[in-house]
Amino acid sequence: MMDYNVPGGKLNRGLSVIDSYMLLREGTEVDDEDFYLACVLGWCIEWLQASALVLDDITDNAYTRRDNLCWYKLPTVGLSAINDGVLLKCHVQAIIKRYFKEKFYFVDLMELWNEIGLQTAMGQMLDLITTHTGAKDLARYRIQGYRRIVKYKTSYYSFYLPVACALLLNGAKLSDYVELKNVLIEMGVYFQIQDDYLDCFGDPQVIGKVGTDIEDYKCSWLIVQAMELANENEMKILYENYGKSSPECVSAVKNVYKELDLQDIFLEYESRVYKHLVSTIDAEPDRAIREILKIFLKKIYRRKK
């Protein structure tokens, strides 16, 4: 179960712990133990990611993940994957206790992981109740609600957590890095908007999964933009077809997206947010923090998967 779900992705989150830690330690010698501990925390994030994906695929009724069948889709697994997802998350606590119990920052590390776990679960809750609870009404899909979902569901664990782990490993106090946290959260929102775009317009052979946001009635960036821009006829098409699994309905929604030039609107957004992030990063006085943010931005800017 671990071999199927933990490795196999891009490992960006895990590697970001190591990249960040090495930049923070630049100019000082990093011994094998310290480097190993950074690797341990990197794998903990990949374990957390695996847990989130196993459970997310079930709630989204997804079919493929990382070029393979979703774990729960395997005939020998089914809904026992729910317990597997919980088990993967429990492993993280066990790993952190095993390697960091005697460290002076152990309590801070555990509090960080508990906080991020809660935030991510609340983000998933917001996503689920927006998508599945109550009468379906696309009018609820607005940018404020979307950003709230994304901030909690994606940004904290994908962008802030790797750097926060590196900071604690380096003996820093997280309370001294509030502005860094804010920039990383904004990057996480940008990353999720990219994800939503690729779900619809990306190549499944490249991104490693078949997008299902339209069929799943997801509160994605694309539908939020469409609801702001659609005319009466386009709105009617969206209400009649969004959230339905037939290829004809999916195609009808995508045609509206194309009529509204959402691909160009996304490219404009990407260019705008990139310039803003570059300007913010250049203004950061701490060289190590500046380089960490540059690495994060380089990894995600104009990504195709």
Side-chain angles (χ1 to χ4, degrees):
M1 185 270 285
M2 288 187 290
D3 288 341
Y4 195 94
N5 292 296
V6 178
K10 297 183 290 291
L11 304 181
N12 279 340
R13 294 167 181 83
L15 290 170
S16 292
V17 179
I18 300 165
D19 292 340
S20 301
Y21 181 63
M22 296 305 288
L23 284 166
L24 290 169
R25 289 291 301 271
E26 202 169 68
T28 62
E29 185 178 351
V30 179
D31 60 30
D32 289 345
E33 181 187 355
D34 286 343
F35 186 81
Y36 186 83
L37 290 177
C39 292
V40 169
L41 287 176
W43 276 114
C44 282
I45 296 181
E46 293 301 326
W47 242 269
L48 180 65
Q49 166 76 347
S51 169
L53 296 184
V54 166
L55 297 173
D56 209 31
D57 286 342
I58 297 170
T59 57
D60 290 347
N61 196 31
Y63 190 74
T64 56
R65 171 74 66 180
R66 295 172 175 172
D67 294 322
N68 291 313
L69 277 176
C70 294
W71 177 244
Y72 82 100
K73 285 289 186 183
L74 296 184
T76 55
V77 180
L79 290 182
S80 65
I82 296 171
N83 192 65
D84 292 335
V86 174
L87 188 59
L88 285 166
K89 188 175 180 182
C90 290
H91 288 168
V92 173
Q93 303 292 327
I95 293 168
I96 290 175
K97 184 177 179 182
R98 175 177 177 179
Y99 288 98
F100 297 95
K101 189 177 181 181
E102 304 304 322
K103 302 295 181 182
F104 72 90
Y105 51 81
F106 174 67
V107 173
D108 290 337
L109 191 61
M110 290 298 289
E111 286 183 351
L112 170 69
W113 278 85
N114 288 335
E115 180 184 14
I116 297 293
L118 175 61
Q119 288 165 331
T120 305
M122 289 198 299
Q124 179 73 344
M125 177 198 70
L126 287 170
D127 188 15
L128 290 171
I129 62 176
T130 302
T131 304
H132 298 297
T133 303
K136 290 188 174 183
D137 183 7
L138 289 177
R140 295 189 300 171
Y141 287 7
R142 292 288 180 255
I143 194 65
Q144 296 87 349
Y146 172 81
R147 288 181 65 89
R148 188 165 58 246
I149 292 169
V150 170
K151 176 181 177 181
Y152 283 91
K153 185 179 177 182
T154 301
S155 290
Y156 280 111
Y157 93 91
S158 294
F159 285 80
Y160 176 60
L161 181 58
V163 179
C165 283
L167 287 168
L168 289 177
L169 197 57
N170 196 42
K173 285 288 183 184
L174 297 182
S175 56
D176 295 335
Y177 293 90
V178 175
E179 186 53 38
L180 168 62
K181 180 179 183 179
N182 293 335
V183 177
L184 290 166
I185 295 303
E186 191 57 38
M187 278 194 199
V189 173
Y190 165 40
F191 176 86
Q192 185 59 51
I193 289 173
Q194 286 178 314
D195 237 30
D196 292 352
Y197 174 83
L198 292 171
D199 184 274
C200 181
F201 295 113
D203 182 352
Q205 297 298 318
V206 176
I207 64 176
K209 65 176 183 177
V210 177
T212 60
D213 282 358
I214 293 173
E215 296 94 318
D216 294 337
Y217 203 76
K218 279 287 185 179
C219 181
S220 84
W221 182 81
L222 292 170
I223 191 64
V224 167
Q225 296 300 309
M227 291 301 295
E228 289 185 1
L229 300 169
N231 60 32
E232 187 176 340
N233 183 55
E234 289 162 339
M235 196 76 75
K236 183 173 182 291
I237 294 171
L238 293 173
Y239 269 97
E240 289 175 352
N241 294 279
Y242 199 75
K244 296 179 180 176
S245 58
S246 78
E248 294 78 15
C249 292
V250 173
S251 181
V253 173
K254 288 186 177 182
N255 285 338
V256 172
Y257 288 172
K258 289 172 184 175
E259 288 171 12
L260 294 171
D261 294 322
L262 290 191
Q263 287 172 283
D264 287 340
I265 290 172
F266 167 77
L267 293 175
E268 289 171 10
Y269 160 79
E270 185 166 48
S271 177
R272 187 170 65 252
V273 76
Y274 178 76
K275 288 177 183 176
H276 169 70
L277 288 169
V278 167
S279 174
T280 304
I281 292 167
D282 287 343
E284 168 59 50
D286 188 312
R287 182 184 176 279
I289 298 300
R290 201 162 58 240
E291 291 305 311
I292 288 171
L293 291 172
K294 283 181 180 178
I295 287 176
F296 268 87
L297 187 55
K298 184 179 179 181
K299 283 181 180 179
I300 64 174
Y301 181 52
R302 289 188 173 170
R303 68 189 178 97
K304 301 300 179 187
K305 63 178 184 177

